[in-house]
Amino acid sequence: MIFMKKVLVKEIYDGFEATDTIISLSGWVRTVRRSKEVGFIELNDGSCLKNLQIVISAEDENFNSITTGSAIKAEGCIIKSNREQGYELQAERLIIEGLADSGYPISKKRHSFEYLRTIAHLRCRTNTFSTIFRLRSLLTFAVHEYLNKNGFVYIATPCITSSDCEGAGETFKITTLDFNNIPKKQDGSVDYSKDFFGKESYMTVSGQLNLEPFCAAFGKVYTFGPSFRAENSNTTRHSAEFWQVEPEMAFMELPDIMSVIEDMTKYLINYLLEHGRNELEFCDTFIENGLIAKLENTVSVNFASVTYTEALDILQKSGENFEMPVKYGSFHTEWEKYLAEKVYKKPVFVTDYPKEAKSFYMRLNDDGKTVSATDLMFPGLGEIVGASAREERLDVLLERLNECGLDPEAYWWYLDLRKYGTFRHGGFGMGIERMMRYVTGMENIRDVIPFPRTPKNAEF
Amino acid sequence: MIFMKKVLVKEIYDGFEATDTIISLSGWVRTVRRSKEVGFIELNDGSCLKNLQIVISAEDENFNSITTGSAIKAEGCIIKSNREQGYELQAERLIIEGLADSGYPISKKRHSFEYLRTIAHLRCRTNTFSTIFRLRSLLTFAVHEYLNKNGFVYIATPCITSSDCEGAGETFKITTLDFNNIPKKQDGSVDYSKDFFGKESYMTVSGQLNLEPFCAAFGKVYTFGPSFRAENSNTTRHSAEFWQVEPEMAFMELPDIMSVIEDMTKYLINYLLEHGRNELEFCDTFIENGLIAKLENTVSVNFASVTYTEALDILQKSGENFEMPVKYGSFHTEWEKYLAEKVYKKPVFVTDYPKEAKSFYMRLNDDGKTVSATDLMFPGLGEIVGASAREERLDVLLERLNECGLDPEAYWWYLDLRKYGTFRHGGFGMGIERMMRYVTGMENIRDVIPFPRTPKNAEF
C-alpha cells in the first residue's frame, strides 16, 4: 500500500504545491451538482470557512449516491483551477463515510436564525454559524493571549458558591436534595445540612469576589469562565449561562483600569481583524454591512469618557424623547446607546455612578454619593464592560454592606483582605457574548452561544 | 512632581539597568527584620515567585510600624547587591498601603496544608500556593496554545444540561424552585414545568456530547471548562467541581487519538519546564524530590500501550497481593498505579476495555465485547486521560443505549449526527487537577484548586 497523504482544505489554500501526488481529503458535502460528464462537489472539512471543489466522473457510483450533508473521503490530485479559489481536487475515488438521510434539515436555501436555533446541533454546519463560532474561538484565545502577555495569572474561580454574593437574588440553586422528599428541620424549615454541601448553595454570578484574594498574591489576575443568572427575561441580550472575562489588578485606580480596558478591547478586535479576516468579511457581507469599517474605526479612536452626572445632563438637554425619562439614579440601555451612537459616535466610558445603582464592593468617592466605577458603552450595543475600583477601606466597606442589607458574617474572608495588607485595586468584567455581538453584527445572544440556555429552554 | 517609574519585581530580575533613578515598587511584606541601623524587608509583588529585598533606615517611622502581610509602596534606587538574587532596593521612602492586623494567620513557620485549606483566601500568599497556582495558570495557557496551534476550534459547551447524559446519576440539579413549596402535579409528582428551564436540569459532567456536533462542523474542536460531579467521596482525588479539557477529532481512530494525547501531554510538560522552571524547582525541593527528573523523563520516553486483556494477564501473573483481586470487568486505581509504576515504569495506555465498564458512546470493537477506548495511566497517579473512538454506527449505538437502559428519545440530537453524514471520530478528556498533581507533586486535589468544592464544603 502506498502511503497517501491526508490533507486539510486549509493547507491547500495556504499554498499547496500542486503535483501529481495522490492525496486524500475528508469532509462533509455542502452541495452536489453535475454536468453531462462531470460531477462537482463542494466539500467542507471544517479546517477553514472555504469549501474545496471536487471534480469526479459523473458515472462514479458513489458520486451518484451522495447527498448534501454526507461525510466522504476523496482521493486524487490537487490541480490549479480557473475558479476564484484557485484549486480543485481531481478525484479518482470517492469513499462514503456516512450518507445523510433525505430528511437532512439544512438545504441550500437561506434558513431563518429562529429555525436554525431549533437545530442547534446542525446549524454549526452552515456558513453563518461556522463563521460565528470560529470567531468566538479566536476571541477566546485572544483574551488568554493578551492577559498572559501582560503578566496576568489565570485563576479558575469556582462556579459553585455558598453565598448569593451580589445580593441580587437571581441565582440558581444547586442541590442533590430529593424534591419529592425535601428534608425539614423541627421548625418546618428546609434542612440544608442534608444537602451535598451542607448548606444552601448557588451557581456564581461572577468570579470577582473569589478573584480578589488572588490579586493580593499575584498583583494581576483574571478569571474566565461561565456565569449563571436566573433572570426570567426573554430578550436578545439575556442568557442564563454566559461567559465573562474578569481581570483584577492591584495598586491601580479607575483611570489605570480604564486604560487596560481600552487597550485590551483594541487588542481583541485587532486580533480578529488579523486572524479572522475571512470570517469578518463574511459577517460584513451577510450580517452587518460596514462591520469591518466599524471595527477598524473602534481600534483607531480614543475612547471618550464622561461622568454619570455630566452624561445625564447631556441626555436631558438632548431633546430626545426617551422611553424611560432621564432621571438620576439609574441608567438604561436606550440612554447608553444614544450616548455612544449619537453623542460620541464611538465607545464611551461613563464613570462615577450613584452608589445606589451599583454593588456594595465598589469604592466610594469622596463626595460620599458616587462610586469609582465605570461602564463602557459601545455604539449600537450599550454596555459591554463594567468596571470599578474596589472598596479597600474596611470601615467604609462594612458601612456599605450594612446599607445594602447584607450580612458581614457571610463575607468574613472578603473582609479579611481589608484587614491583612489591604491595597488599592480594581477590575472589570467583559461579557464575551456582548463582545461577540459587536464583532459579528449578530443581534441575538442565542446566536453567539453554541447551545443557549434561556427561560424554559435547556434543549440539547 | 517628577515622574516616578513603577517597576515590578519580575522586571528587576529579568535584567534591570541599575541607575540612580528613583523608582517605586508596591507589594506585600513577607518578612521584616532589622539590624542596628538598617531595616530589611522581603517584598513580594506577585509578578514572580521571588521576593526583592528592601533596605531602609532602621529609624524610618513607617518601617517601624509595618508587619508581615502589610501592603506597602517603596521608593528608591535599585542597586546591585552581594546576595544571591543580585538586586535590592535602597529605599528612601516607605508608604503604607494597608497594615496587617496582628492576627494575620500566616507566620514564618511552615503551616500544614490542612490548616492552609481553612484560610484558602490567604494561602495563595505563601510560597507553596503561589507556586502551585502560577503553574496552574501556565498549564491552562499551554492547553489553549497547543490546541490553537494545531487547528482546534474552541467551543464553549454548556454547563447546564437537561439530560443526565452519561446515565451515571451523580449529577447536581440546578433549579429556581422554592424548596418550601415544591410545585406538584395532580398525580403528586414534581411539576418541573414550573422550574426555570421547564424541565429537570442538571450541571454537566462532561462537555463531550455537546462537543460532537461541532466536530462535524470544524473537524477538530475542544472544550475546556468546569465539570460537576455529585460524588459523595471524601478522597484526595475527588472534587465536586473540576476542570477538564476535552478535544474531539474527526476522521480519526484510536491510535491517531493516542498520538495526539501523547504529543499534547509532552507539549504541556515541556511548556512548564520552559516557562515555569523556578516554580518546578521549588516543587522539586519542597514537595516531591526528583520531580524535574520525572518530568524530563516523561517527555523523553515513548508511552507504552497494552490491551486491557493483556494488562489483566500481567497483573494476575505479577504475584502482587492487590486489595481488589484482579478480575475481568473493571479496573482499579491500585492496578493502574502498579502497571505504570512497577511494570512499565512510564506512562502506559490501557486499551480496549470491556464494554460493560465503559460508556454507551464508545465504539464497539469487532469482537463485540470490548470498546475502542483507552485510559492513560501515569506512574504514581493512575488514570490521567480517558479517551475513545465514538460509536458512529446508528444501529450499534441504538443497541448500546438500549443495553445501558437509556432512552434514545433523550439523545435525539446526538443520534441525528449518525443520520446526517456520520463519520469516524473520537476524543479524550484530560483532568486538569490530575495533571496538576502530576506536575507539582501535590497529593491532594484540594491543594491544586483555588477554592475546592467537596462534600459538606463550599466555603469561600
Side-chain angles (χ1 to χ4, degrees):
Chain A
M1 202 183 82
I2 305 161
F3 170 78
M4 194 181 300
K5 196 172 157 49
K6 283 167 122 181
V7 174
L8 296 174
V9 172
K10 182 177 190 304
E11 292 167 340
I12 294 168
Y13 288 123
D14 280 353
F16 187 80
E17 197 64 43
T19 68
D20 52 5
T21 312
I22 306 246
I23 59 102
S24 87
L25 262 177
S26 296
W28 293 266
V29 174
R30 286 285 173 90
T31 62
V32 191
R33 67 190 172 83
R34 54 163 61 245
S35 70
K36 216 169 191 177
E37 286 172 7
V38 187
F40 301 96
I41 299 166
E42 291 286 325
L43 192 79
N44 191 289
D45 71 353
S47 65
C48 63
L49 190 56
K50 282 196 271 185
N51 303 325
L52 187 77
Q53 176 159 284
I54 294 172
V55 185
I56 188 156
S57 156
E59 279 163 29
D60 183 277
E61 211 173 300
N62 283 341
F63 172 73
N64 285 302
S65 69
I66 61 169
T67 48
T68 304
S70 297
I72 62 167
K73 181 157 97 173
E75 296 172 358
C77 297
I78 297 295
I79 58 163
K80 294 252 179 201
S81 84
N82 304 327
R83 302 174 68 225
E84 201 191 331
Q85 283 89 340
Y87 291 100
E88 63 188 30
L89 181 81
Q90 202 87 41
E92 294 189 355
R93 201 156 81 105
L94 280 189
I95 297 142
I96 293 172
E97 283 263 340
L99 292 176
D101 268 19
S102 59
Y104 186 58
I106 297 175
S107 64
K108 238 189 277 190
K109 68 163 188 166
R110 215 160 159 184
H111 298 288
S112 74
F113 291 156
E114 288 75 16
Y115 169 71
L116 289 171
R117 274 174 225 142
T118 68
I119 49 167
H121 62 310
L122 299 173
R123 69 174 174 173
C124 41
R125 300 190 198 181
T126 64
N127 283 332
T128 300
F129 287 94
S130 80
T131 298
I132 296 301
F133 293 116
R134 208 181 293 278
L135 285 169
R136 186 168 171 142
S137 177
L138 289 170
L139 180 63
T140 301
F141 188 68
V143 165
H144 285 293
E145 188 176 87
Y146 175 82
L147 293 167
N148 273 272
K149 270 187 187 171
N150 286 283
F152 286 76
V153 175
Y154 172 77
I155 306 298
T157 52
C159 290
I160 299 170
T161 167
S162 57
S163 52
D164 171 10
C165 269
E166 298 212 15
E170 287 172 330
T171 48
F172 287 103
K173 268 192 193 165
I174 178 168
T175 185
T176 53
L177 292 181
D178 176 2
F179 289 5
N180 287 303
N181 189 13
I182 297 280
K184 297 277 167 77
K185 290 194 282 197
Q186 288 209 321
D187 65 1
S189 63
V190 178
D191 184 2
Y192 286 105
S193 73
K194 299 285 196 300
D195 207 347
F196 190 89
F197 295 109
K199 55 167 112 172
E200 275 191 89
S201 306
Y202 307 90
M203 298 308 298
T204 190
V205 297
S206 157
Q208 180 209 316
L209 299 196
N210 286 118
L211 192 58
E212 287 187 45
F214 285 85
C215 188
F218 297 114
K220 291 196 274 188
V221 287
Y222 73 110
T223 185
F224 189 16
S227 292
F228 304 87
R229 199 176 279 271
E231 202 163 359
N232 205 352
S233 307
N234 256 312
T235 76
T236 58
R237 302 165 4 103
H238 292 93
S239 166
E241 180 176 347
F242 56 99
W243 277 63
Q244 48 184 349
V245 52
E246 298 177 276
E248 190 78 21
M249 293 151 275
F251 309 114
M252 285 203 186
E253 292 173 20
L254 196 60
D256 311 310
I257 296 162
M258 286 159 65
S259 297
V260 176
I261 295 170
E262 182 166 345
D263 190 53
M264 173 161 149
T265 305
K266 290 176 176 175
Y267 183 93
L268 299 180
I269 293 173
N270 273 322
Y271 187 94
L272 296 180
L273 285 167
E274 187 181 337
H275 296 91
R277 196 77 199 184
N278 291 340
E279 287 77 10
L280 291 180
E281 279 167 5
F282 180 93
C283 294
D284 196 316
T285 308
F286 294 105
I287 302 171
E288 179 182 331
N289 290 329
L291 177 79
I292 291 183
K294 175 186 88 175
L295 297 179
E296 283 172 345
N297 186 54
T298 306
V299 296
S300 68
V301 295
N302 291 320
F303 293 2
S305 173
V306 61
T307 67
Y308 174 85
T309 312
E310 289 163 356
L312 244 62
D313 200 45
I314 291 168
L315 291 169
Q316 267 159 347
K317 288 182 180 154
S318 69
E320 185 76 12
N321 213 347
F322 293 108
E323 216 169 291
M324 290 294 300
V326 177
K327 215 185 90 188
Y328 191 87
S330 66
F331 215 77
H332 291 275
T333 308
E334 62 168 333
W335 309 351
E336 291 171 5
K337 285 191 181 177
Y338 183 85
L339 208 63
E341 258 166 73
K342 299 288 161 62
V343 181
Y344 290 96
K345 299 179 179 64
K346 62 178 179 179
V348 52
F349 288 104
V350 178
T351 68
D352 304 291
Y353 284 81
K355 63 178 180 179
E356 294 78 15
K358 291 288 178 185
S359 297
F360 73 90
Y361 52 74
M362 298 190 178
R363 193 178 197 283
L364 194 65
N365 284 327
D366 291 344
D367 62 15
K369 290 180 191 165
T370 61
V371 287
S372 185
T374 186
D375 286 349
L376 174 61
M377 316 295 182
F378 265 31
L381 202 91
E383 187 207 330
I384 205 161
V385 174
S388 81
R390 316 307 185 191
E391 185 54 76
E392 86 281 8
R393 296 161 296 185
L394 182 61
D395 53 340
V396 184
L397 186 58
L398 283 167
E399 204 177 303
R400 286 289 289 137
L401 278 169
N402 199 29
E403 277 175 18
C404 298
L406 297 167
D407 177 15
E409 198 60 35
Y411 298 87
W412 68 270
W413 55 271
Y414 189 73
L415 296 171
D416 265 7
L417 302 182
R418 278 71 186 170
K419 290 180 192 157
Y420 304 126
T422 195
F423 59 110
R424 286 164 299 132
H425 65 292
F428 63 92
M430 176 187 286
I432 290 303
E433 286 80 12
R434 293 204 179 164
M435 196 63 180
M436 275 299 295
R437 286 166 59 212
Y438 188 71
V439 298
T440 63
M442 290 301 263
E443 283 178 11
N444 197 315
I445 192 170
R446 291 168 181 79
D447 297 327
V448 297
I449 297 177
F451 296 106
R453 271 63 178 109
T454 50
K456 304 298 172 205
N457 176 38
E459 192 57 88
F460 305 103
Chain B
M1 203 181 81
I2 302 160
F3 170 78
M4 194 180 301
K5 197 173 155 52
K6 283 167 123 180
V7 174
L8 296 173
V9 173
K10 183 178 189 302
E11 291 167 341
I12 294 168
Y13 288 123
D14 281 353
F16 188 81
E17 198 63 45
T19 66
D20 53 4
T21 312
I22 305 246
I23 59 102
S24 87
L25 262 177
S26 296
W28 292 268
V29 174
R30 285 286 173 88
T31 62
V32 191
R33 68 192 170 82
R34 55 163 62 245
S35 69
K36 215 169 191 178
E37 286 173 6
V38 186
F40 301 96
I41 298 167
E42 290 288 323
L43 192 79
N44 191 289
D45 71 352
S47 66
C48 64
L49 190 56
K50 283 195 272 187
N51 301 326
L52 187 78
Q53 174 159 285
I54 294 173
V55 185
I56 188 156
S57 156
E59 280 164 28
D60 183 277
E61 209 174 301
N62 284 338
F63 171 74
N64 285 303
S65 69
I66 63 169
T67 48
T68 303
S70 297
I72 61 166
K73 183 157 95 172
E75 296 173 357
C77 297
I78 297 295
I79 58 163
K80 294 253 178 202
S81 83
N82 304 328
R83 302 173 69 224
E84 200 191 333
Q85 283 90 340
Y87 292 100
E88 61 187 33
L89 181 81
Q90 203 86 44
E92 295 189 355
R93 199 156 83 105
L94 280 190
I95 297 142
I96 292 172
E97 283 264 340
L99 291 176
D101 266 20
S102 57
Y104 186 57
I106 297 175
S107 63
K108 240 190 273 192
K109 69 164 187 165
R110 215 160 159 183
H111 299 289
S112 74
F113 292 156
E114 289 74 17
Y115 168 70
L116 289 171
R117 274 175 226 142
T118 68
I119 48 167
H121 62 309
L122 299 173
R123 67 174 175 173
C124 43
R125 300 191 198 181
T126 64
N127 283 332
T128 300
F129 287 95
S130 81
T131 297
I132 297 301
F133 293 117
R134 209 180 293 277
L135 285 169
R136 185 168 172 143
S137 176
L138 289 170
L139 180 63
T140 300
F141 187 67
V143 165
H144 285 294
E145 188 177 87
Y146 175 83
L147 292 167
N148 273 272
K149 270 187 185 170
N150 286 282
F152 286 76
V153 175
Y154 173 75
I155 306 298
T157 53
C159 291
I160 298 170
T161 167
S162 57
S163 51
D164 171 10
C165 267
E166 299 211 15
E170 287 172 330
T171 46
F172 286 104
K173 269 191 193 166
I174 177 168
T175 184
T176 52
L177 291 182
D178 176 1
F179 289 5
N180 286 304
N181 190 13
I182 297 281
K184 296 278 167 78
K185 290 193 284 197
Q186 287 208 322
D187 66 3
S189 63
V190 178
D191 184 2
Y192 286 106
S193 74
K194 299 283 197 301
D195 207 347
F196 190 89
F197 296 110
K199 55 166 113 173
E200 274 191 90
S201 306
Y202 308 90
M203 297 309 296
T204 191
V205 296
S206 156
Q208 179 208 317
L209 300 196
N210 285 118
L211 192 57
E212 287 188 44
F214 285 84
C215 188
F218 298 114
K220 291 196 275 189
V221 287
Y222 74 109
T223 185
F224 189 15
S227 292
F228 305 87
R229 200 176 278 272
E231 204 163 358
N232 205 352
S233 307
N234 255 312
T235 76
T236 57
R237 301 163 9 98
H238 292 93
S239 166
E241 180 176 346
F242 56 100
W243 277 63
Q244 47 184 348
V245 52
E246 298 177 276
E248 190 78 20
M249 295 152 274
F251 309 114
M252 285 205 187
E253 292 172 21
L254 196 59
D256 311 310
I257 295 161
M258 286 158 64
S259 298
V260 176
I261 295 170
E262 183 166 344
D263 190 53
M264 174 162 149
T265 306
K266 290 176 175 175
Y267 183 93
L268 299 180
I269 294 174
N270 273 322
Y271 187 93
L272 296 180
L273 285 167
E274 188 181 336
H275 296 90
R277 196 81 199 180
N278 291 341
E279 287 76 12
L280 291 180
E281 280 166 3
F282 179 93
C283 294
D284 196 316
T285 308
F286 295 104
I287 302 171
E288 179 183 330
N289 290 328
L291 177 79
I292 290 183
K294 176 186 89 176
L295 297 179
E296 283 172 344
N297 185 54
T298 306
V299 296
S300 67
V301 296
N302 291 319
F303 293 2
S305 172
V306 60
T307 68
Y308 174 84
T309 313
E310 289 162 358
L312 244 62
D313 201 44
I314 291 168
L315 292 169
Q316 267 158 349
K317 288 181 180 152
S318 69
E320 184 78 12
N321 213 348
F322 293 108
E323 216 168 291
M324 290 294 301
V326 177
K327 217 184 90 186
Y328 190 88
S330 65
F331 215 77
H332 291 275
T333 307
E334 61 167 334
W335 311 350
E336 291 171 4
K337 284 191 182 176
Y338 182 84
L339 208 64
E341 257 167 72
K342 300 288 160 62
V343 181
Y344 290 96
K345 299 178 177 64
K346 61 180 179 177
V348 52
F349 288 104
V350 177
T351 68
D352 304 291
Y353 284 81
K355 64 178 179 179
E356 294 78 14
K358 291 287 179 184
S359 297
F360 74 90
Y361 52 73
M362 299 191 177
R363 195 180 196 280
L364 194 65
N365 284 326
D366 290 345
D367 62 15
K369 290 178 190 164
T370 60
V371 288
S372 185
T374 187
D375 285 351
L376 174 61
M377 316 296 183
F378 265 31
L381 201 92
E383 186 208 330
I384 205 160
V385 175
S388 81
R390 317 306 186 191
E391 186 55 75
E392 86 281 10
R393 296 160 297 185
L394 182 60
D395 53 340
V396 184
L397 186 58
L398 283 166
E399 206 177 301
R400 288 287 292 136
L401 278 169
N402 199 29
E403 277 176 20
C404 297
L406 296 168
D407 177 14
E409 198 60 35
Y411 297 87
W412 68 271
W413 56 272
Y414 190 73
L415 296 170
D416 264 8
L417 302 182
R418 279 70 185 169
K419 289 181 192 157
Y420 304 126
T422 195
F423 58 110
R424 288 163 299 133
H425 64 292
F428 62 93
M430 175 187 285
I432 289 303
E433 286 80 12
R434 294 205 177 163
M435 196 65 180
M436 275 299 295
R437 286 165 59 211
Y438 188 71
V439 298
T440 62
M442 290 301 264
E443 283 178 11
N444 197 316
I445 192 169
R446 292 169 180 78
D447 297 327
V448 297
I449 298 178
F451 296 106
R453 271 63 179 110
T454 51
K456 305 295 173 208
N457 175 37
E459 191 57 88
F460 304 104

